[in-house]
Amino acid sequence: MKGYISIKISTLRKISLALLSLITLGTAAYLLKCHYSANIPYVETKSYYELKADGRTVLFFRSTGSDSLFNGISLSPMSVDYAGNMPFRQSDLYGIVEKNRKYINHRISQLDSIRQELYYYLERHNVQDEGFDMVAERVTVLVNEKTKLEKWREALAPIDASTHLFTKKVVTRQRIDSVALSPIFVGIDGGIWTQGRWLRTERTGKGVSFDYSGRPVAGTWNADTMMTGTRYDEKGIYRGQTDRWMQASGHGIYQYADCTYEGHFSSDREDGFGVAVSTLKLRAGEWKGGMFKGERMQYTSERIYGIDISKYQHGKGRKRYPIHWGQLRITSLGHISNKRVSGVVNYPVSFVYIKSTEGTSIRNKYYASDYTQARKHGVKVGAYHFFSTRTSGAMQARFFLKNSRFRSGDLPPVLDVEPTAAQIKKMGGVDVMFSNIRQWLKAVQGATGVKPVLYVGQSFVNKYLNSAPDIKKNYNVWIARYGEFKPDVKLLYWQLSPYGRVCGIHGEVDINVFNGYRAQFNEFIQQNCIK
């Protein structure tokens, strides 16, 4: 029949949910029930539950969920729009309050973990880095949420088992005259329901519709194309730009159950630059087809660069080349991967690591002279040992300590771990390897007074490092990864290329970048160098 349409109850529920993103439920119900006309008077209905403890109002809420948690908590009734049914007895209130207190404490703990991730990122980036502003905005959102939770916790704190609790539903109505309301449509099956009529016309203005898979979308349309809006699905809530098929496209925010992503979308997937924040990890960088690829750094003269050298920088075979320490300047970051470089590569060498020993029998004959020259020319210097799977970590530590120099201001020593899978198997497996690594780290730390740094490749991190959570947690990591994306772990240094060029050194040189800027590097030097 013309002017009527049959809609399933489940569909109506989805519509109501989506309409909440545009307007209050009371206004939505009014617009769906009556014909629209400009400047029409209407009655706005608001309702909420009031929780009282020993006769004193503690807080207001909209409803409780199946998990007994309060929904729509507020310290002011003006912040609650519409109260649903309350599926519990008054005698259950104390247990419900206890569950809410536990949830609030748990959520505050989660926010503290997230804050550490965000602050770690902000400390090692500046406003020039892509995504810095989004991460900073996440901090503001986090602080606001934590402040609200702390106020709710404070309001519930005095309640104990002897407190008399009572809750009641409060309904208020307000007549509002001469308010110009914009029409809101509901789009279904190729038509729209608007202004009390069912029409076959294009979607324009604010409304609710459904995408190709039946997900409700609330937003603003122009010429039958949605420009921006909110969509609800089984994964969470998306808010932002869409394409003509109402898929996430452009900038948006996806609120998942355990994570929030903000950034660019394409064809309903994270694609481009974005920031994902969870209680476990912060991932800020490039995404492709919904997968996180990593951070692409912007290389500028403000970053802190260094090199690591061994006997190979002095020549191969019979040819010998000196290092001209007074001329050191990095002139190339290598050619393996695409790099975002701002300006010309002509960076000072801020630190250098020199190979000292390997196993229990190999020494770098150039170590002592290179060490002396580095200190003479004001370059921060440290020594590294190449780990062998053939002898114990304790024996290797003694050999390294005997043949290396450690003076005040020197960088913390480094253990270079690069075994093959066959070597690890031959020495007894992953557990035996890490047992020997621990021996070296503890012995060297005891002798030098500083925690050594662990140098590993990206594949080692992926395959083995999680087997030693104590090492991963307690020691700074230096990672070799030669792709275009920064390693997705917390690290001290990143060896980004083995094919760099340095004025004053013959041949190719390993180029490294410190994870941070000058302020963080100075802080690291002050706190971690040999005293």
Side-chain angles (χ1 to χ4, degrees):
M1 184 181 297
K2 186 178 180 180
Y4 294 90
I5 184 170
S6 174
I7 305 175
K8 295 180 180 179
I9 295 297
S10 60
T11 301
L12 284 173
R13 287 177 182 152
K14 291 181 179 179
I15 293 173
S16 296
L17 182 63
L19 280 167
L20 282 170
S21 300
L22 297 175
I23 50 176
T24 65
L25 191 61
T27 305
Y30 174 81
L31 289 172
L32 287 173
K33 284 192 298 184
C34 69
H35 293 271
Y36 168 83
S37 63
N39 299 321
I40 188 171
Y42 73 99
V43 176
E44 182 180 58
T45 300
K46 291 175 65 71
S47 60
Y48 52 87
Y49 286 102
E50 185 178 33
L51 176 65
K52 291 192 174 184
D54 290 334
R56 180 179 60 87
T57 300
V58 176
L59 51 78
F60 306 91
F61 62 96
R62 182 172 63 246
S63 62
T64 56
S66 58
D67 53 4
S68 297
L69 295 178
F70 294 134
N71 294 323
I73 295 178
S74 175
L75 299 179
S76 167
M78 301 304 296
S79 301
V80 183
D81 289 324
Y82 178 77
N85 294 325
M86 188 172 61
F88 59 82
R89 297 169 296 181
Q90 296 288 337
S91 58
D92 298 332
L93 274 175
Y94 181 69
I96 292 173
V97 168
E98 279 294 281
K99 286 185 178 180
N100 278 270
R101 278 200 285 223
K102 288 180 180 178
Y103 168 76
I104 289 172
N105 288 331
H106 174 68
R107 181 57 181 163
I108 288 175
S109 177
Q110 285 185 325
L111 294 177
D112 286 337
S113 297
I114 297 172
R115 182 183 61 182
Q116 292 177 7
E117 288 289 312
L118 296 175
Y119 283 179
Y120 177 84
Y121 181 92
L122 293 177
E123 286 173 357
R124 282 154 179 80
H125 293 75
N126 68 19
V127 293
Q128 295 183 29
D129 296 325
E130 191 173 14
F132 185 90
D133 55 341
M134 279 194 280
V135 175
E137 186 177 350
R138 285 288 106 197
V139 171
T140 301
V141 172
L142 178 149
V143 169
N144 290 339
E145 181 182 353
K146 185 179 178 182
T147 299
K148 286 196 303 183
L149 289 169
E150 288 174 337
K151 289 180 179 179
W152 298 344
R153 181 171 63 181
E154 183 180 353
L156 296 173
I159 297 175
D160 58 30
S162 64
T163 305
H164 174 68
L165 296 173
F166 178 75
T167 185
K168 68 174 183 177
K169 186 174 184 179
V170 179
V171 180
T172 64
R173 291 183 174 88
Q174 181 181 10
R175 178 183 173 88
I176 302 176
D177 296 322
S178 300
V179 175
L181 298 174
S182 300
I184 296 175
F185 67 80
V186 177
I188 304 173
D189 296 333
I192 63 172
W193 179 264
T194 183
Q195 303 182 42
R197 292 184 297 167
W198 172 250
L199 303 171
R200 293 282 180 178
T201 184
E202 66 179 21
R203 294 162 295 185
T204 298
K206 293 182 178 180
V208 176
S209 191
F210 297 86
D211 68 3
Y212 65 96
S213 59
R215 297 174 296 188
V217 185
T220 303
W221 273 258
N222 182 30
D224 216 34
T225 299
M226 183 175 173
M227 308 303 293
T228 183
T230 301
R231 189 189 67 213
Y232 302 82
D233 57 38
E234 67 282 354
K235 294 188 295 183
I237 302 173
Y238 171 76
R239 296 181 175 89
Q241 295 177 315
T242 63
D243 59 21
R244 60 180 301 182
W245 297 281
M246 288 178 279
Q247 290 185 320
S249 182
H251 188 85
I253 299 177
Y254 217 134
Q255 181 69 57
Y256 298 95
D258 58 352
C259 176
T260 299
Y261 171 90
E262 179 181 3
H264 194 270
F265 289 82
S266 179
S267 300
D268 236 18
R269 293 185 177 183
E270 299 89 340
D271 199 280
F273 186 87
V275 176
V277 182
S278 70
T279 57
L280 300 176
K281 202 170 191 179
L282 168 68
R283 292 173 292 172
E286 296 292 326
W287 298 68
K288 186 68 175 177
M291 300 294 293
F292 181 62
K293 305 298 290 184
E295 178 185 353
R296 295 185 67 186
M297 293 178 62
Q298 183 81 8
Y299 297 99
T300 69
S301 58
E302 292 186 352
R303 293 197 179 275
I304 309 301
Y305 303 92
I307 60 175
D308 57 276
I309 60 175
S310 63
K311 67 177 183 179
Y312 297 108
Q313 276 65 50
H314 290 276
K316 294 182 180 180
R318 296 182 178 180
K319 292 185 177 180
R320 295 288 180 266
Y321 302 99
I323 293 178
H324 303 285
W325 288 90
Q327 301 176 16
L328 296 190
R329 299 286 294 188
I330 296 173
T331 57
S332 172
L333 300 180
H335 52 76
I336 290 183
S337 60
N338 294 325
K339 295 179 176 65
R340 295 177 177 176
V341 178
S342 178
V344 178
V345 176
N346 186 17
Y347 308 140
V349 175
S350 296
F351 62 91
V352 58
Y353 274 95
I354 307 168
K355 181 177 180 180
S356 173
T357 55
E358 179 177 340
T360 56
S361 59
I362 299 175
R363 293 181 296 176
N364 174 17
K365 65 180 180 180
Y366 299 101
Y367 167 75
S369 60
D370 283 344
Y371 173 88
T372 300
Q373 288 298 314
R375 285 190 63 99
K376 179 180 177 180
H377 287 84
V379 181
K380 281 294 178 183
V381 63
Y384 77 88
H385 171 83
F386 192 90
F387 179 76
S388 171
T389 58
R390 297 181 179 181
T391 53
S392 73
M395 292 175 61
Q396 293 185 58
R398 288 194 292 270
F399 184 68
F400 172 70
L401 292 168
K402 180 181 178 181
N403 293 283
S404 305
R405 299 183 182 183
F406 310 101
R407 294 174 58 185
S408 176
D410 285 349
L411 295 168
V414 169
L415 178 61
D416 182 347
V417 181
E418 304 181 48
T420 65
Q423 289 173 329
I424 295 173
K425 182 178 180 180
K426 188 174 181 179
M427 78 178 300
V430 174
D431 291 340
V432 174
M433 175 186 66
F434 278 118
S435 176
N436 282 280
I437 289 174
R438 289 186 186 93
Q439 291 175 21
W440 193 97
L441 294 172
K442 290 178 180 178
V444 172
Q445 181 175 349
T448 62
V450 295
K451 280 187 178 182
V453 175
L454 183 68
Y455 171 97
V456 289
Q458 182 69 58
S459 61
F460 186 95
V461 172
N462 298 341
K463 294 179 181 178
Y464 307 120
L465 196 55
N466 286 334
S467 298
D470 57 320
I471 294 177
K472 185 177 181 179
K473 177 182 178 182
N474 297 322
Y475 291 89
N476 282 315
V477 177
W478 178 2
I479 296 180
R481 182 180 183 182
Y482 304 143
E484 62 185 294
F485 297 110
K486 181 179 176 181
D488 186 26
V489 294
K490 291 181 178 177
L491 72 159
L492 179 63
Y493 306 118
W494 171 23
Q495 187 181 94
L496 54 94
S497 175
Y499 302 125
R501 291 287 180 173
V502 179
C503 182
I505 299 179
H506 178 81
E508 295 168 331
V509 186
D510 294 340
I511 305 297
N512 305 275
V513 60
F514 174 78
N515 189 22
Y517 287 89
R518 179 60 60 181
Q520 291 77 39
F521 185 70
N522 290 342
E523 181 180 353
F524 170 77
I525 294 299
Q526 185 177 11
Q527 296 180 0
N528 296 274
C529 281
I530 295 172
K531 305 303 180 185

